[in-house]
Amino acid sequence: MSKVLAKKFYGQNTLSTAKKLLGKFLVRRIGRRKISGTITEVEAYIGPKDKASHASRGRTKRTEVMFGESGHWYVYLIYGMHYCLNIVTEKKNYPAAILIRGVKTKTKEIRGPGRVCKYFWINKSFNAAAADRKIGLWIENSGVKIKNRDIQRGKRIGVDYAGKWKNKLWRFYLVRK
DNA sequence: AGATTGATCCAT
DNA sequence: TGGATCAATCTG
């Protein structure tokens, strides 16, 4: 049995998928080395009307991947400096994705989407690729059971421009003990 | 609080 | 084709 999450894991409701991603392993293989960590914080961007989502401006060269197949990576450069890693969710032609904002490794906790990409050596070359072993970046089942009471939710970060959409409680993170 | 940095998008 | 914007992070 493969521990790699299959496309169908991502093809359903984005909010429940976001919660289910907490506690899963993000894995990056570079040659014979592996970098991995538990996903601790995520943020959902859902549908064509979500003003906080890049997809709210419609299909463009950049956002096309959000309208595409679930289980593919959406990677973009923000502020000319930082990459952000998202996994596409829902059905084809319905734009949605989950931003990975935080990861915990054996030795350290990485908070912030730009830091996650830096730590995992992720750049735009992964954009639009399927999340699997072939490209060296995927998500695995960890076997860790996350309870609802271990999940916090809050407003999304950095989207104050998004009108009423800025108040959606679409950020989920693990309780820090 | 201010600087950084460049891809993206749309109209000024 | 120019310029404002931006799902962030760093230093102070």
Side-chain angles (χ1 to χ4, degrees), chain A residues 18-121:
Chain A
K19 281 183 268 192
K20 283 193 277 186
L21 274 182
L22 294 175
K24 299 288 192 289
F25 275 141
L26 177 65
V27 188
R28 170 89 165 94
R29 183 179 55 76
I30 307 171
R32 62 184 59 169
R33 298 202 171 204
K34 263 190 192 176
I35 305 170
S36 67
T38 303
I39 296 173
T40 56
E41 181 176 353
V42 295
E43 227 169 52
Y45 291 83
I46 309 172
K49 301 211 174 99
D50 177 4
K51 282 280 184 290
S53 170
H54 295 158
S56 66
R57 290 182 183 273
R59 286 177 186 259
T60 67
K61 193 173 178 187
R62 178 172 70 158
T63 62
E64 188 60 32
V65 61
M66 288 188 73
F67 290 81
E69 298 266 356
S70 64
H72 288 233
W73 296 116
Y74 169 41
V75 183
Y76 62 90
L77 183 69
I78 190 66
Y79 299 112
M81 308 166 81
H82 310 291
Y83 292 103
C84 291
L85 177 67
N86 304 249
I87 188 81
V88 174
T89 56
E90 309 259 0
K91 297 202 183 329
K92 208 169 176 228
N93 296 318
Y94 185 82
I98 298 165
L99 172 66
I100 297 177
R101 295 193 56 93
V103 167
K104 190 174 185 176
T105 72
K106 271 185 189 160
T107 55
K108 62 185 337 190
E109 178 145 14
I110 296 114
R111 288 203 218 170
R115 292 183 188 134
V116 168
C117 285
K118 188 178 175 195
Y119 186 83
F120 282 82
W121 289 60

Side-chain angles (χ1 to χ4, degrees), chain A residues 132-148:
Chain A
D132 57 34
R133 287 195 153 95
K134 266 181 283 191
I135 59 149
L137 182 63
W138 67 92
I139 301 174
E140 287 183 2
N141 261 308
S142 63
V144 177
K145 181 76 179 169
I146 301 297
K147 302 183 181 78
N148 269 335

Side-chain angles (χ1 to χ4, degrees), chain A residues 151-169:
Chain A
I151 299 177
Q152 308 236 19
R153 71 188 292 180
K155 293 180 185 179
R156 294 176 292 179
I157 305 292
V159 295
D160 286 349
Y161 57 85
K164 67 174 185 181
W165 298 91
K166 79 179 181 195
N167 295 319
K168 298 283 184 190
L169 301 175

